[in-house]
Amino acid sequence: MNYSSHRLNDESELRPYIKKMGWPNFKTYMERLYNKIIDMKPGDKFRIDDLVVEKNRDLFIKLLCLFTVMHGTAVFYFNNEFTLFYRNDEKEKL
């Protein structure tokens, strides 16, 4: 299993989802996901398949990628196959 093909390469890849879902629904989905990520404690991780159904996998992974870009890849990151998502267990530097 390898989900690296779902990684976000450009923010424009989110436009079809915004168009299909409408901005309010897209924003709600994104905020729910981001709140879950923000609540992660250092050292926490989760399997992508444990949190999302197949039909939503692409958007889910793309939004996680966007989050890591916005918050730093040293804090939040994927494994090489994009099947696991982690929060770094080291103390964050201010």
Side-chain angles (χ1 to χ4, degrees):
M1 184 170 14
N2 187 324
Y3 298 150
S4 62
S5 63
H6 297 287
R7 87 178 106 219
L8 182 69
N9 297 303
D10 187 88
E11 287 183 41
S12 65
E13 295 174 359
L14 296 173
R15 286 188 200 129
Y17 291 105
I18 295 169
K19 184 176 181 180
K20 179 180 178 183
M21 298 169 70
W23 175 248
N25 290 332
F26 179 86
K27 184 177 179 225
T28 298
Y29 183 86
M30 180 175 63
E31 287 173 345
R32 279 192 354 244
L33 176 56
Y34 286 5
N35 286 335
K36 172 149 185 64
I37 298 167
I38 289 167
D39 286 343
M40 291 175 73
K41 306 289 184 244
D44 282 355
K45 65 182 175 184
F46 61 80
R47 285 177 10 100
I48 300 300
D49 285 341
D50 289 346
L51 294 183
V52 67
V53 296
E54 183 179 353
K55 73 175 190 169
N56 294 333
R57 186 183 301 135
D58 187 62
L59 176 59
F60 188 87
I61 291 173
K62 283 177 172 29
L63 287 174
L64 288 174
C65 290
L66 183 62
F67 186 92
T68 60
V69 169
M70 294 184 326
H71 292 88
T73 55
V75 178
F76 298 96
Y77 58 96
F78 287 94
N79 65 343
N80 289 336
E81 294 80 25
F82 283 68
T83 56
L84 295 171
F85 187 79
Y86 302 87
R87 179 167 183 172
N88 196 336
D89 60 357
E90 294 183 18
K91 294 211 180 243
E92 298 172 38
K93 296 179 182 176
L94 299 177

